[in-house]
């Protein structure tokens, strides 16, 4: 079996922090973990086409701060903040704590790895050539200040029955 290091665990404390920031006693830990999972799952399913890259959850004894990092904050907020109230209501039904919802904008979505991968996946669903999708994503990332980029696609590329892997850097 391979000796692979978890990429998040490798970077923790160096150039990345935790996605959930809270402390709980043994009896509350499992419930908080499940609540975090359900909150993230709800946001990924219901906040669509708005480029959600990361969901940070911070808890105190009585409050739950949920921060959504998105490339299009206007889509998440909605007209006059109507969508934000719906999201907050749904999240408060998931968790027992009081919910405080923050929305932060991702300034350069072309340099965010999760958003670049999602963009390529959406292009593949629309049947755009995988080579063109890869090259376009790489060009836009480098143009907006990324020092380097590596893209790897795997599966039945271009409709071939044999699964293969293509990558470029």
């Amino acid at each position: 079996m391979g000796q692979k290091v978890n990429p998040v665990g490798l970077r923790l404390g160096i150039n990345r922090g935790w996605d959930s920031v809270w402390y709980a006693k043994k009896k509350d830990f499992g419930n908080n973990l499940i609540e975090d999972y359900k909150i993230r799952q709800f946001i990924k399913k219901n906040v669509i086409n708005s480029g959600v890259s990361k969901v940070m959850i911070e808890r105190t004894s009585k409050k739950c701060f949920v921060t959504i990092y998105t490339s299009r904050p206007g889509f998440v907020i909605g007209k006059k903040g109507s969508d934000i109230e719906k999201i907050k209501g749904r999240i408060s039904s998931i968790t027992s704590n009081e919910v405080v919802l923050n929305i932060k904008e991702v300034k350069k979505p072309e340099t965010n790895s999760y958003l670049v991968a999602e963009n390529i996946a959406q292009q593949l669903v629309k049947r755009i050539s995988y080579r063109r999708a890869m090259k376009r994503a790489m060009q836009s990332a480098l143009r907006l200040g990324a020092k380097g980029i590596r893209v790897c696609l795997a599966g039945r590329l271009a409709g071939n029955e044999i699964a293969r892997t293509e990558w470029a850097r």
Side-chain angles (χ1 to χ4, degrees):
M1 202 165 124
Q3 304 292 315
K4 292 169 184 68
V5 177
N6 187 319
V8 176
L10 179 72
R11 291 173 176 86
L12 274 173
I14 301 166
N15 61 0
R16 188 184 168 124
W18 294 100
D19 289 339
S20 293
V21 181
W22 46 266
Y23 178 81
K25 295 190 171 136
K26 227 175 199 178
K27 62 178 183 175
D28 300 329
F29 184 85
N31 292 333
N32 285 355
L33 195 65
I34 291 169
E35 283 178 5
D36 283 7
Y37 176 76
K38 286 181 179 176
I39 289 170
R40 285 198 174 88
Q41 197 175 33
F42 166 76
I43 290 172
K44 280 188 179 164
K45 277 187 181 175
N46 295 350
V47 184
I48 42 178
N49 296 332
S50 59
V52 174
S53 67
K54 186 165 84 169
V55 178
M56 289 278 297
I57 299 172
E58 297 177 45
R59 292 175 189 266
T60 60
S61 58
K62 302 266 196 272
K63 288 188 178 180
C64 179
F65 297 93
V66 179
T67 307
I68 301 173
Y69 290 86
T70 176
S71 61
R72 297 187 207 130
F75 274 67
V76 179
I77 295 168
K79 290 183 181 175
K80 298 179 182 175
S82 61
D83 290 350
I84 243 180
E85 293 303 321
K86 290 178 187 173
I87 294 169
K88 191 186 272 189
R90 291 268 184 87
I91 292 174
S92 62
S93 69
I94 293 172
T95 182
S96 58
N97 300 347
E98 180 187 336
V99 175
V100 178
L101 193 63
N102 300 323
I103 293 168
K104 293 196 177 174
E105 183 180 9
V106 176
K107 297 291 184 195
K108 294 181 183 177
E110 288 82 5
T111 59
N112 186 309
S113 59
Y114 184 82
L115 294 176
V116 169
E118 208 161 79
N119 182 22
I120 292 173
Q122 286 176 352
Q123 289 181 23
L124 292 176
V125 167
K126 293 177 186 170
R127 297 218 174 250
I128 292 176
S129 166
Y130 69 91
R131 284 192 186 94
R132 183 179 297 158
M134 281 171 43
K135 286 180 183 171
R136 192 178 293 162
M138 289 169 44
Q139 286 173 348
S140 65
L142 293 173
R143 191 173 359 100
L144 279 149
K147 292 181 180 176
I149 181 171
R150 184 173 66 189
V151 180
C152 180
L153 295 176
R156 292 182 54 186
L157 300 174
N160 290 338
E161 287 189 25
I162 301 169
R164 61 188 182 150
T165 304
E166 287 281 327
W167 60 275
R169 60 182 175 187

